[in-house]
Amino acid sequence: MFISVHELEQKKLDFDEEFRPGAIDFGPDLRQSEPLLTTGRAEVLHEHRGAKQVIQDVRVVGHLATKMEIACARCLDPVIHSVSRDFDLLYRPLGIDRKGDEVSINQAETEISYYDGDGVLLEDVLREQVLLALPIRTVCRDDCKGLCPKCGGNLNAGACTCNEQVEDPRWEALKVWKKP
Ligand SMILES: [Zn+2]
Ligand SMILES: [Zn+2]
């Protein structure tokens, strides 16, 4: 859904959208496993700089919720993360801020990004917010044993035979005895 500055100049935009998995491109390493629900409001803010310059900023405030699958960093099994996040974002026209420019509005509660062209694509806003909400690295469980570096087998499912040593036959009797 495109949030057009031109349309925001006419009136504020309230949105209540549902994005099915696949509608937003999260790249090859992430999978959206449930519809992404978002509600919020977009409006244009006029930022006055000097006597003549008026900058059209786009403010997007809202909430999103979905579930994402990330591969465990050790065993690559999918791990589900629930994402539920509030956002309050300000988009300025790209190129308007030069380095060292003083920022004239209060950004205490607002993160600043930039938009290129006529507005902001809501999908881009949501993608970024989901990525920010996810951990950089995830493991399926703290004691995940990962994959065998030799055969690639998942060691959580049981030991592979790669590291089995030739055992002393004298222990065989004991092993049998230890089995339940
Ligand atoms: Zn794992
Ligand atoms: Zn192995």
Side-chain angles (χ1 to χ4, degrees), residues 97-127:
D97 287 326
R98 292 185 309 272
K99 255 191 185 165
D101 268 4
E102 240 180 278
V103 173
S104 49
I105 68 161
N106 179 7
Q107 355 179 309
E109 297 155 35
T110 322
E111 299 170 50
I112 303 220
S113 303
Y114 295 90
Y115 69 87
D116 191 10
D118 303 323
V120 181
L121 195 61
L122 184 60
E123 286 86 335
D124 289 343
V125 173
L126 298 171
R127 179 193 303 108

Side-chain angles (χ1 to χ4, degrees), residues 122-148:
L122 184 60
E123 286 86 335
D124 289 343
V125 173
L126 298 171
R127 179 193 303 108
E128 194 184 355
Q129 291 304 307
V130 168
L131 295 178
L132 287 171
L134 293 173
I136 291 168
R137 185 175 186 276
T138 198
V139 287
C140 60
R141 57 189 214 213
D142 286 343
D143 64 345
C144 171
K145 296 186 178 76
L147 302 177
C148 169

Side-chain angles (χ1 to χ4, degrees), residues 72 74-75 140 144 156:
C72 168
R74 291 184 202 153
C75 74
C140 60
C144 171
N156 297 317

